[in-house]
Amino acid sequence: MPQPHYPTRLVEILPPGKGTDLRICHTQVDTPAGPYMTLSHRWGTASFLKLTLANLASLVKGFSIADLPQTFQDAVAVTGRLGCKYLWIDSLCIIQDSKDDWLHEAGLMGEVYANARCNIAATWNSSSDDGCFRERNVSEVEGLVVRPKWADLKSTTFRVVAFELWEDLVTSASLNSRAWVVQERLLAPRVLHFGRTQLAWECHQVDACETYPAGLPVAQQSAETIHKGLDPDTDGKRLQSMGDSRSSPNLHTYHLWNKIVAAYTAGELTVASDKLVAISGLAKRMQTMLQDEYLAGLWKGTLSSDLLWRVTGGKRADGLPSAIAKQYRAPSWSWAALDGHIMPGRPNTERILISIEEAVTIPSTPENPLGQLNSGWIRLRGALLPVTVKTPQSSTSQQDRLSVSFSAGSTNAGFWIYPDVKNKVIDQSLFCLLVSTKSQYHGTLIQGLALHCTNVEKAMYQRVGLSEGTHKSPNQDIPVQYSRSTRRIFDWMGAKTTADRPSRIGSSTQADREYKIPDDPFT
């Protein structure tokens, strides 16, 4: 029988008569007897007891529950009522002033939540002082009962509840605005939410609450919901039944990851350097499912289309404009280099226009190879078009995309750049790397990367945005000075086989140049 996995440290609830309420248990020294719970919470700004190098020895001996903030006290009480004597709390089980301990434990975070009996989520609160419990109006849980007196409905009873009950209770609650909580919520086998008006429950089989104890009705579910099972077959069927036509049996696992990235980047991170660390537990789980190489939030098996992410609305989770991280986190071709709400590129089953020769990421620590990075780069071949971004004519222009031209003074209606950071691309001379095409009813959708050349001699480029346009015919909107190269590129797009395509794309060396993003995107 396999031995249960325990975190490095746990808070142990001591029985009466021990002279103290709690202690920090080193699980490799004192093997726990029984399962453990975990806690998801918001720290807030208040000062509270944390594990440090200075107090580690004393907390191992024991401490009073009264020393803890209200949320922790309530979590201890819930743990005991549910028949467990061990609880994992991040601030008490990771040494907060030891970088080495944090890096080691952060790499194990996914296993900590995945092996817990249940995760206690202080979903409604915004501070560790708020607690899990609060006064409530029970009638809000029961809903409004309506018994019509119409002749044909005399025996029928209706119950009126908020249409977006789950959205308000769980999805949009204070706790779930934290990016860290995405993997805590998805990897834990069970989550008990302490919401503003009632309890809610999530497990692999059902999502439920006190209003719907047998499970949420379909009307309360969303096609964007990420189900805890993270099983491609099961979740694929559930997502398809809710109208997600994008999912397919062979690509669903990659689509599932894209949903995770969209949810994760919509959350807030207090520490910017946690960007890849806070999702590394989920990345490890998905890597096991995909049997694929993980590259700074992207996957080698779908890398060409994964590169085609964009910033939703040009903003980050708090509504401020998107921004490049002040300290290096990832190469510019990864969404992790940016603070912004990301719409991932969809796995493309049609035509890919680039050839990836090398993609490398160098982790900062061997303890968590899917976490923080020292550097990364990609080397590929494809068609480059020189483009110029036009300054918006007025402040009322659409702000999340900018028109581009293929040469000075020309206009190319329908070709745009969605900038990663807007003020980084206006009035710059850039290149568009054509990545993929997809047939649509109104023409061919062309997607690519907007690149800034950082080293002409070494042909090194930095991503600055996503380029996109719809092309109806090879002769439409092609600038005179680039008519030959552009025409040949569109001819190449339209070729049905490799043999039909021109041996060389474009008429200049730039059109067949290697594209490598430097290790440091700020150079």
Side-chain angles (χ1 to χ4, degrees):
M1 184 175 179
Q3 293 297 315
H5 173 89
Y6 289 109
T8 305
R9 305 177 190 90
L10 287 168
V11 176
E12 181 179 0
I13 304 172
L14 300 175
K18 291 291 185 179
T20 188
D21 302 317
L22 310 164
R23 76 180 186 100
I24 299 299
C25 168
H26 284 283
T27 61
Q28 294 180 349
V29 177
D30 298 321
T31 303
Y36 67 93
M37 310 278 278
T38 53
L39 173 66
S40 289
H41 67 104
R42 293 197 69 127
W43 285 38
T45 57
S47 177
F48 57 89
L49 179 65
K50 304 178 183 70
L51 182 65
T52 65
L53 291 168
N55 66 15
L56 175 60
S58 65
L59 294 185
V60 168
K61 293 179 180 178
F63 56 98
S64 171
I65 191 172
D67 296 333
L68 301 179
Q70 191 61 51
T71 299
F72 294 9
Q73 293 187 35
D74 290 347
V76 169
V78 171
T79 298
R81 291 291 297 271
L82 293 178
C84 293
K85 58 182 291 189
Y86 300 99
L87 175 63
W88 189 90
I89 303 176
D90 52 4
S91 55
L92 288 173
C93 296
I94 300 175
I95 302 174
Q96 297 299 305
D97 56 355
S98 170
K99 182 178 180 180
D100 290 341
D101 191 69
W102 188 89
L103 287 173
H104 177 264
E105 295 300 313
L108 301 174
M109 202 80 74
E111 297 298 322
V112 168
Y113 283 90
N115 288 283
R117 171 64 62 84
C118 179
N119 182 45
I120 301 167
T123 306
W124 76 272
N125 69 24
S126 57
S127 168
S128 57
D129 288 332
D130 289 339
C132 294
F133 305 105
R134 66 191 303 268
E135 295 292 331
R136 62 174 183 169
N137 185 344
V138 179
S139 64
E140 293 183 30
V141 176
E142 298 172 346
L144 176 65
V145 177
V146 178
R147 298 181 178 88
K149 296 182 179 181
W150 302 317
D152 55 342
L153 291 175
K154 282 186 176 181
S155 61
T156 304
T157 300
F158 295 92
R159 184 170 57 163
V160 181
V161 298
F163 181 72
E164 296 183 340
L165 172 64
W166 188 264
E167 173 73 23
D168 296 336
L169 180 66
V170 176
T171 307
S172 297
S174 176
L175 176 67
N176 290 320
S177 66
R178 288 184 59 229
W180 270 101
V181 173
V182 173
Q183 76 171 8
E184 295 172 7
R185 183 178 168 191
L186 289 177
L187 291 177
R190 306 164 191 88
V191 179
L192 179 60
H193 293 277
F194 286 82
R196 184 170 296 278
T197 58
Q198 59 181 292
L199 296 176
W201 173 263
E202 291 179 295
C203 68
H204 291 186
Q205 285 72 40
V206 67
D207 296 339
C209 59
E210 291 178 75
T211 300
Y212 297 110
L216 292 182
V218 174
Q220 289 283 346
Q221 301 178 42
S222 166
E224 296 304 312
T225 299
I226 306 170
H227 300 284
K228 292 183 62 59
L230 296 179
D231 177 76
D233 295 328
T234 303
D235 285 342
K237 293 176 182 177
R238 294 180 72 176
L239 288 169
Q240 287 172 357
S241 70
M242 287 185 281
D244 190 349
S245 60
R246 292 171 294 173
S247 92
S248 60
N250 59 326
L251 291 176
H252 173 69
T253 308
Y254 290 107
H255 281 301
L256 180 59
W257 174 255
N258 286 348
K259 286 178 177 287
I260 291 171
V261 170
Y264 174 72
T265 56
E268 302 169 1
L269 277 174
T270 304
V271 181
S273 60
D274 290 352
K275 191 75 168 188
L276 286 170
V277 179
I279 199 174
S280 61
L282 276 168
K284 185 177 180 180
R285 172 73 69 86
M286 297 296 290
Q287 187 175 51
T288 301
M289 296 162 60
L290 289 166
Q291 293 298 296
D292 198 357
E293 184 178 350
Y294 182 72
L295 297 163
L298 284 60
W299 298 98
K300 186 175 182 180
T302 52
L303 185 55
S304 296
S305 52
D306 283 357
L307 293 171
L308 300 174
W309 51 268
R310 74 174 63 171
V311 183
T312 303
K315 297 179 180 180
R316 60 190 197 189
D318 57 9
L320 294 175
S322 58
I324 296 173
K326 294 181 180 179
Q327 294 184 333
Y328 181 85
R329 286 194 312 222
S332 66
W333 45 268
S334 166
W335 51 261
L338 204 71
D339 290 323
H341 184 194
I342 301 300
M343 179 190 296
R346 296 178 183 177
N348 193 322
T349 57
E350 293 200 23
R351 188 164 298 150
I352 298 297
L353 308 178
I354 59 175
S355 173
I356 297 177
E357 298 183 349
E358 181 184 35
V360 178
T361 53
I362 308 298
S364 299
T365 172
E367 284 88 354
N368 189 5
L370 307 187
Q372 291 180 345
L373 296 178
N374 278 335
S375 62
W377 62 88
I378 187 172
R379 187 186 300 274
L380 55 80
R381 290 184 181 273
L384 282 176
L385 286 178
V387 297
T388 300
V389 178
K390 294 295 185 180
T391 304
Q393 296 299 311
S394 69
S395 59
T396 60
S397 301
Q398 188 168 344
Q399 296 298 303
D400 62 341
R401 69 177 189 177
L402 301 168
S403 179
V404 302
S405 64
F406 290 117
S407 64
S410 69
T411 59
N412 297 86
F415 279 84
W416 308 88
I417 282 181
Y418 294 84
D420 297 339
V421 180
K422 186 176 178 182
N423 60 5
K424 296 289 186 180
V425 300
I426 293 177
D427 291 331
Q428 283 197 41
S429 293
L430 305 174
F431 292 89
C432 172
L433 175 72
L434 304 178
V435 175
S436 74
T437 66
K438 183 176 182 179
S439 298
Q440 296 183 329
Y441 71 93
H442 57 283
T444 300
L445 176 66
I446 306 165
Q447 288 190 306
L449 301 181
L451 307 175
H452 171 63
C453 185
T454 59
N455 189 313
V456 175
E457 295 299 322
K458 295 182 179 180
M460 300 176 73
Y461 296 80
Q462 175 186 347
R463 173 185 160 133
V464 295
L466 176 78
S467 61
E468 186 173 276
T470 301
H471 194 72
K472 294 181 180 179
S473 81
N475 293 314
Q476 180 183 2
D477 295 322
I478 297 175
V480 173
Q481 52 266 64
Y482 294 108
S483 60
R484 180 184 173 191
S485 61
T486 309
R487 175 61 182 267
R488 287 176 64 84
I489 287 167
F490 288 126
D491 286 345
W492 185 71
M493 290 178 183
K496 295 181 179 180
T497 67
T498 304
D500 294 333
R501 296 174 182 171
S503 59
R504 184 172 183 79
I505 305 168
S507 57
S508 70
T509 56
Q510 288 176 335
D512 200 31
R513 180 178 288 171
E514 288 184 341
Y515 156 48
K516 179 180 178 181
I517 293 179
D519 297 2
D520 184 354
F522 301 102
T523 59

